[in-house]
Amino acid sequence: MRYFLCLSYDGSAFCGWQIQPSAPSVQQCLESALSRLLGRPVPVTGAGRTDTAVNAYHYVAHFDWDGIFPFEASDFTYKLNAILPHGVAVHSVSPVADDLHARFSAKRREYTYFIHRQKDPFVRAFSWQCGYPGLDFEAMNKACQFLLGTHDFSCFEKTGTDNKTSICTVYEAFWAPYTPSHIQVMDSEVGNAVLGACPPPLPEAMGGAGVERSGTESPRTAFPTSDSSYWYFRIAADRFLRNMVRATVGTLIEVGRGKHAPEWVAELIESGTRGDAGESVPGNALFLNKVEY
């Protein structure tokens, strides 16, 4: 019988999903926990690779087990999570058809990349501080339109890979602003009541602005508005090449900085090489957030 596992993981402690000879991986961690729980080695197959430090919000893997399964699904999940480290969480385990494959049966994969435009200690673990001034997100979204469809994306693929083809079909790609949860809370009535305990601004004589605040006004925070400071990039495709999303984000940032027109992305896809495209952005801000079958 084949079983699908749905899980999430924080990639900061791992070299990625795939087992490596001398570095911790999510696959090795999960196989070790399953083998300990079931009493014998249990190979696990994942939906695909993720790079070092890359996270997964919704990852799918499968394993095969012959004979009677020793636990109820809820008990199995509970016991497995008790063995796994804090950075890995299994949400469900369910039997599937024997020919359903976590990697090859997947029809659509979706990634999200987070950036913030100003220093913020509360998002830095899972977001990239992109401090380039005046990013043009309208131009970046125009450039995203050239990603859609079926193309050879070798210009965004890490060199030296052994893929048989670099052709992918991209279904969706866009940038959008968002509001982090801590900003939402701090801007609520409860948050403003807490912030109201902050000291008032310094008087002008001491170098301050000299602004007086009544008890009903909410104090200004150090965080800017979400529409200009917190953004995410979403891309969905049938498959992804190694390093493809991070290279795509770096390339779109080049467009946003005004170094290239949006049409440059189409030129890259048509005849460019990896060296012609933008630099890869850090992996900690990238999430695999959906796999569909």
Side-chain angles (χ1 to χ4, degrees):
M1 175 69 74
R2 176 158 292 178
Y3 291 86
F4 262 28
L5 292 165
C6 180
L7 62 145
S8 300
Y9 57 82
D10 171 356
S12 61
F14 301 102
C15 66
W17 162 262
Q18 191 170 17
I19 290 178
Q20 302 293 327
S22 58
S25 69
V26 182
Q27 185 181 24
Q28 183 274 329
C29 178
L30 189 57
E31 287 188 357
S32 177
L34 279 168
S35 299
R36 178 178 169 187
L37 185 61
L38 297 175
R40 71 184 193 205
V42 181
V44 176
T45 300
R49 291 179 175 179
T50 55
D51 293 335
T52 298
V54 173
N55 315 285
Y57 176 76
H58 175 91
Y59 192 89
V60 178
H62 79 247
F63 69 95
D64 296 324
W65 181 260
D66 53 350
I68 299 174
F69 201 59
F71 306 108
E72 295 292 334
S74 59
D75 290 338
F76 177 86
T77 303
Y78 173 81
K79 292 176 182 293
L80 188 57
N81 279 322
I83 298 173
L84 288 166
H86 294 298
V88 182
V90 172
H91 306 298
S92 64
V93 55
S94 55
V96 296
D98 289 340
D99 61 350
L100 194 62
H101 196 281
R103 178 183 177 188
F104 298 124
S105 299
K107 303 299 184 183
R108 177 185 172 113
R109 297 167 172 87
E110 188 175 281
Y111 279 89
T112 301
Y113 194 89
F114 294 93
I115 71 170
H116 54 292
R117 310 281 292 116
Q118 180 169 313
K119 187 176 182 180
D120 184 342
F122 304 114
V123 299
R124 65 184 180 87
F126 300 110
S127 178
W128 175 45
Q129 183 179 336
C130 180
Y132 297 117
L135 281 183
D136 186 344
F137 286 94
E138 182 177 353
M140 291 158 69
N141 270 325
K142 287 181 180 178
C144 285
Q145 299 306 303
F146 298 107
L147 298 170
L148 303 179
T150 302
H151 308 285
D152 184 327
F153 287 97
S154 55
C155 61
F156 299 135
E157 181 180 15
K158 185 175 182 179
T159 57
T161 57
D162 56 356
N163 287 328
K164 294 181 180 180
T165 177
S166 298
I167 295 175
C168 309
T169 300
V170 174
Y171 304 117
E172 184 178 50
F174 64 89
W175 288 88
Y178 79 102
T179 304
S181 58
H182 70 283
I183 297 293
Q184 296 180 42
V185 171
M186 293 301 180
D187 283 346
S188 69
E189 290 185 9
V190 174
N192 284 329
V194 173
L195 288 172
C198 295
L202 291 173
E204 293 182 14
M206 297 180 64
V211 178
E212 294 185 0
R213 187 176 70 228
S214 70
T216 59
E217 294 174 332
S218 60
R220 297 184 62 184
T221 72
F223 301 105
T225 57
S226 63
D227 62 344
S228 62
S229 298
Y230 300 91
W231 290 78
Y232 68 89
F233 172 65
R234 175 71 50 77
I235 184 167
D238 61 340
R239 61 190 292 265
F240 286 92
L241 308 174
R242 191 172 182 184
N243 198 56
M244 177 176 165
V245 180
R246 293 164 58 199
T248 299
V249 172
T251 299
L252 294 173
I253 293 293
E254 295 284 277
V255 173
R257 295 174 64 191
K259 298 184 70 173
H260 299 278
E263 292 75 16
W264 174 59
V265 172
E267 297 170 6
L268 284 173
I269 294 172
E270 179 66 27
S271 58
T273 66
R274 180 67 193 91
D276 299 322
E279 294 183 0
S280 293
V281 291
N284 66 294
L286 180 60
F287 287 76
L288 173 61
N289 61 279
K290 187 182 295 184
V291 184
E292 296 181 358
Y293 295 87

Coordinates of all heavy atoms in Angstrom, one line a residue, residues 211-255:
V211 N 6.0 67.0 18.6 CA 4.6 66.7 18.3 C 3.9 66.1 19.6 O 4.4 65.2 20.2 CB 4.5 65.7 17.2 CG1 3.0 65.4 16.9 CG2 5.1 66.2 15.9
E212 N 2.8 66.8 20.0 CA 2.1 66.3 21.1 C 1.0 65.3 20.6 O 0.5 65.4 19.5 CB 1.4 67.4 21.8 CG 2.4 68.4 22.5 CD 1.7 69.4 23.3 OE1 0.4 69.4 23.3 OE2 2.4 70.3 23.9
R213 N 0.7 64.3 21.5 CA -0.2 63.3 21.1 C -1.3 63.1 22.2 O -1.0 63.1 23.4 CB 0.6 61.9 21.0 CG -0.3 60.8 20.4 CD 0.6 59.5 20.2 NE 0.9 58.9 21.5 CZ 2.2 58.6 21.8 NH1 3.1 58.7 20.9 NH2 2.5 58.0 22.9
S214 N -2.5 63.1 21.7 CA -3.6 62.9 22.7 C -3.7 61.5 23.0 O -3.2 60.6 22.4 CB -4.9 63.4 22.1 OG -5.3 62.6 21.1
G215 N -4.5 61.2 24.1 CA -4.6 59.8 24.5 C -5.4 58.9 23.5 O -5.3 57.7 23.6
T216 N -6.1 59.5 22.6 CA -6.9 58.8 21.6 C -6.2 58.5 20.3 O -6.6 57.7 19.5 CB -8.2 59.5 21.3 OG1 -7.9 60.8 20.8 CG2 -9.0 59.7 22.6
E217 N -5.0 59.1 20.1 CA -4.3 58.9 18.9 C -3.4 57.7 19.0 O -2.8 57.5 20.0 CB -3.5 60.2 18.5 CG -4.4 61.4 18.2 CD -3.5 62.6 18.0 OE1 -2.4 62.7 18.6 OE2 -3.9 63.5 17.3
S218 N -3.3 57.0 17.9 CA -2.3 55.9 17.9 C -1.0 56.4 17.5 O -0.8 57.2 16.6 CB -2.8 54.8 16.9 OG -2.9 55.3 15.6
P219 N 0.1 55.9 18.2 CA 1.4 56.4 17.9 C 1.9 55.9 16.6 O 1.5 54.8 16.1 CB 2.2 55.8 19.1 CG 1.5 54.6 19.5 CD 0.0 54.9 19.3
R220 N 2.9 56.6 16.0 CA 3.5 56.1 14.8 C 4.5 55.0 15.1 O 5.2 55.1 16.0 CB 4.2 57.3 14.1 CG 3.3 58.4 13.7 CD 4.0 59.4 12.9 NE 4.6 58.9 11.7 CZ 5.3 59.6 10.9 NH1 5.6 60.9 11.2 NH2 5.8 59.1 9.8
T221 N 4.5 54.0 14.3 CA 5.4 52.9 14.5 C 6.6 53.0 13.5 O 6.6 53.9 12.6 CB 4.7 51.5 14.2 OG1 4.5 51.4 12.8 CG2 3.4 51.4 14.9
A222 N 7.6 52.2 13.7 CA 8.7 52.2 12.8 C 8.5 51.5 11.5 O 9.3 51.5 10.6 CB 9.9 51.6 13.5
F223 N 7.3 50.9 11.3 CA 7.1 50.1 10.2 C 6.2 50.8 9.2 O 5.2 51.4 9.5 CB 6.3 48.8 10.6 CG 7.1 48.0 11.6 CD1 6.8 47.9 12.9 CD2 8.2 47.3 11.1 CE1 7.5 47.2 13.8 CE2 9.0 46.5 12.0 CZ 8.6 46.5 13.4
P224 N 6.6 50.8 7.9 CA 5.9 51.5 6.9 C 4.6 50.7 6.4 O 4.4 49.6 6.9 CB 6.9 51.5 5.7 CG 7.7 50.3 5.9 CD 7.8 50.1 7.4
T225 N 3.9 51.3 5.5 CA 2.6 50.7 5.1 C 2.9 49.5 4.2 O 3.9 49.4 3.5 CB 1.8 51.7 4.3 OG1 2.6 52.2 3.2 CG2 1.3 52.8 5.2
S226 N 2.0 48.5 4.2 CA 2.2 47.2 3.6 C 2.3 47.4 2.0 O 3.0 46.6 1.4 CB 1.2 46.2 4.0 OG -0.1 46.7 3.5
D227 N 1.6 48.3 1.5 CA 1.5 48.4 0.0 C 2.8 48.8 -0.6 O 3.0 48.7 -1.8 CB 0.4 49.4 -0.4 CG 0.6 50.8 0.1 OD1 1.5 51.0 1.0 OD2 0.0 51.7 -0.5
S228 N 3.8 49.3 0.2 CA 5.1 49.7 -0.4 C 6.2 49.0 0.2 O 7.3 49.1 -0.3 CB 5.3 51.2 -0.2 OG 5.3 51.5 1.2
S229 N 6.0 48.2 1.2 CA 7.2 47.6 2.0 C 7.2 46.1 2.1 O 8.3 45.6 2.3 CB 7.2 48.2 3.4 OG 7.4 49.6 3.4
Y230 N 6.1 45.4 1.9 CA 6.1 44.0 2.0 C 5.4 43.4 0.8 O 4.2 43.7 0.5 CB 5.3 43.5 3.3 CG 5.9 44.0 4.6 CD1 5.5 45.2 5.1 CD2 6.9 43.3 5.2 CE1 6.0 45.7 6.3 CE2 7.5 43.8 6.4 CZ 7.0 45.0 6.9 OH 7.6 45.5 8.1
W231 N 6.2 42.6 0.0 CA 5.7 42.1 -1.2 C 6.0 40.6 -1.3 O 6.9 40.1 -0.7 CB 6.3 42.8 -2.4 CG 5.9 44.2 -2.6 CD1 6.4 45.3 -1.9 CD2 5.0 44.7 -3.5 NE1 5.7 46.4 -2.3 CE2 4.9 46.1 -3.3 CE3 4.2 44.1 -4.5 CZ2 4.1 46.9 -4.1 CZ3 3.4 44.9 -5.3 CH2 3.4 46.3 -5.1
Y232 N 5.2 39.9 -2.1 CA 5.5 38.5 -2.4 C 5.4 38.3 -3.9 O 4.6 38.9 -4.6 CB 4.6 37.5 -1.6 CG 3.1 37.5 -2.0 CD1 2.7 36.7 -3.1 CD2 2.2 38.3 -1.4 CE1 1.3 36.6 -3.4 CE2 0.9 38.3 -1.8 CZ 0.4 37.4 -2.8 OH -0.9 37.4 -3.1
F233 N 6.1 37.3 -4.4 CA 6.1 36.9 -5.8 C 5.5 35.5 -5.8 O 6.0 34.6 -5.1 CB 7.5 36.9 -6.4 CG 7.6 36.2 -7.7 CD1 6.9 36.8 -8.8 CD2 8.3 35.1 -8.0 CE1 7.0 36.2 -10.1 CE2 8.4 34.5 -9.2 CZ 7.7 35.1 -10.3
R234 N 4.5 35.2 -6.6 CA 3.9 33.9 -6.7 C 4.1 33.4 -8.2 O 3.8 34.1 -9.1 CB 2.4 34.1 -6.4 CG 1.5 32.8 -6.6 CD 1.7 31.8 -5.6 NE 1.7 32.2 -4.2 CZ 0.6 32.5 -3.5 NH1 -0.6 32.4 -4.1 NH2 0.7 32.9 -2.3
I235 N 4.5 32.1 -8.3 CA 4.6 31.5 -9.6 C 4.2 30.1 -9.5 O 4.5 29.4 -8.5 CB 6.1 31.6 -10.1 CG1 6.2 31.0 -11.5 CG2 7.1 30.9 -9.1 CD1 7.6 31.4 -12.2
A236 N 3.4 29.6 -10.5 CA 2.9 28.3 -10.6 C 3.3 27.7 -11.9 O 3.1 28.4 -12.9 CB 1.4 28.2 -10.3
A237 N 3.7 26.4 -11.9 CA 4.1 25.8 -13.2 C 3.9 24.3 -13.0 O 3.7 23.7 -11.9 CB 5.5 26.1 -13.5
D238 N 4.0 23.6 -14.2 CA 3.9 22.1 -14.1 C 5.1 21.5 -13.5 O 5.1 20.4 -12.9 CB 3.6 21.5 -15.5 CG 4.8 21.8 -16.5 OD1 5.5 22.8 -16.3 OD2 4.8 21.1 -17.5
R239 N 6.3 22.2 -13.7 CA 7.5 21.7 -13.1 C 8.5 22.9 -13.0 O 8.3 23.9 -13.6 CB 8.2 20.6 -13.9 CG 8.5 21.1 -15.4 CD 8.9 19.9 -16.3 NE 10.2 19.3 -15.9 CZ 11.4 19.6 -16.4 NH1 11.5 20.6 -17.3 NH2 12.5 19.0 -16.0
F240 N 9.5 22.7 -12.1 CA 10.5 23.8 -12.0 C 11.9 23.2 -12.1 O 12.2 22.1 -11.7 CB 10.3 24.5 -10.6 CG 9.1 25.4 -10.5 CD1 7.9 24.9 -10.0 CD2 9.2 26.7 -10.9 CE1 6.8 25.7 -9.9 CE2 8.1 27.5 -10.8 CZ 6.9 27.0 -10.3
L241 N 12.8 24.0 -12.7 CA 14.2 23.6 -12.8 C 14.9 24.0 -11.5 O 14.4 24.8 -10.7 CB 14.8 24.3 -14.0 CG 14.1 24.2 -15.3 CD1 14.7 25.1 -16.4 CD2 14.0 22.7 -15.8
R242 N 16.1 23.5 -11.3 CA 16.9 23.8 -10.1 C 17.3 25.2 -10.1 O 17.8 25.7 -11.1 CB 18.1 22.9 -10.1 CG 18.8 22.9 -8.8 CD 19.9 21.9 -8.7 NE 20.6 21.9 -7.4 CZ 21.7 21.1 -7.1 NH1 22.2 20.3 -8.0 NH2 22.2 21.2 -5.9
N243 N 16.9 25.9 -9.1 CA 17.3 27.3 -8.9 C 16.4 28.3 -9.7 O 16.6 29.5 -9.7 CB 18.8 27.6 -9.2 CG 19.2 28.9 -8.5 OD1 19.1 29.1 -7.3 ND2 19.8 29.8 -9.4
M244 N 15.4 27.7 -10.4 CA 14.6 28.5 -11.3 C 13.9 29.7 -10.7 O 13.9 30.8 -11.2 CB 13.6 27.6 -12.1 CG 12.7 28.3 -13.0 SD 11.7 27.1 -13.9 CE 10.4 28.2 -14.6
V245 N 13.2 29.5 -9.6 CA 12.4 30.5 -9.0 C 13.3 31.6 -8.4 O 13.1 32.8 -8.6 CB 11.6 30.0 -7.8 CG1 10.7 31.1 -7.2 CG2 10.6 28.9 -8.3
R246 N 14.4 31.3 -7.8 CA 15.3 32.3 -7.2 C 16.0 33.1 -8.3 O 16.2 34.3 -8.1 CB 16.3 31.6 -6.3 CG 15.7 31.0 -5.0 CD 16.7 30.0 -4.4 NE 17.9 30.7 -4.0 CZ 19.1 30.0 -3.8 NH1 19.1 28.7 -3.9 NH2 20.2 30.6 -3.5
A247 N 16.3 32.5 -9.4 CA 16.9 33.2 -10.5 C 15.9 34.1 -11.2 O 16.2 35.2 -11.6 CB 17.5 32.2 -11.5
T248 N 14.6 33.6 -11.3 CA 13.6 34.4 -11.9 C 13.3 35.7 -11.0 O 13.2 36.8 -11.6 CB 12.3 33.6 -12.0 OG1 12.5 32.5 -12.8 CG2 11.1 34.4 -12.5
V249 N 13.3 35.5 -9.7 CA 13.1 36.7 -8.8 C 14.2 37.7 -9.0 O 14.0 38.9 -9.1 CB 13.0 36.3 -7.3 CG1 13.0 37.5 -6.4 CG2 11.7 35.4 -7.1
G250 N 15.4 37.2 -9.0 CA 16.6 38.1 -9.2 C 16.5 38.8 -10.5 O 16.9 40.0 -10.6
T251 N 16.0 38.2 -11.6 CA 15.9 38.8 -12.9 C 14.8 39.9 -12.9 O 15.0 41.0 -13.4 CB 15.6 37.7 -13.9 OG1 16.7 36.8 -14.0 CG2 15.4 38.3 -15.3
L252 N 13.7 39.6 -12.2 CA 12.6 40.6 -12.1 C 13.0 41.8 -11.3 O 12.5 42.9 -11.6 CB 11.3 39.9 -11.6 CG 10.7 38.8 -12.4 CD1 9.6 38.1 -11.7 CD2 10.2 39.4 -13.7
I253 N 13.8 41.6 -10.3 CA 14.3 42.7 -9.5 C 15.1 43.6 -10.4 O 15.1 44.9 -10.3 CB 15.2 42.2 -8.3 CG1 14.3 41.5 -7.3 CG2 15.9 43.4 -7.7 CD1 13.3 42.3 -6.6
E254 N 15.9 43.1 -11.3 CA 16.7 43.9 -12.3 C 15.7 44.8 -13.1 O 16.0 46.0 -13.3 CB 17.5 43.0 -13.2 CG 18.6 42.1 -12.6 CD 19.8 43.0 -12.2 OE1 20.6 43.2 -13.1 OE2 19.9 43.4 -11.0
V255 N 14.6 44.2 -13.5 CA 13.6 45.0 -14.2 C 13.1 46.1 -13.3 O 12.9 47.3 -13.7 CB 12.5 44.1 -14.7 CG1 11.3 45.0 -15.3 CG2 13.0 43.2 -15.8

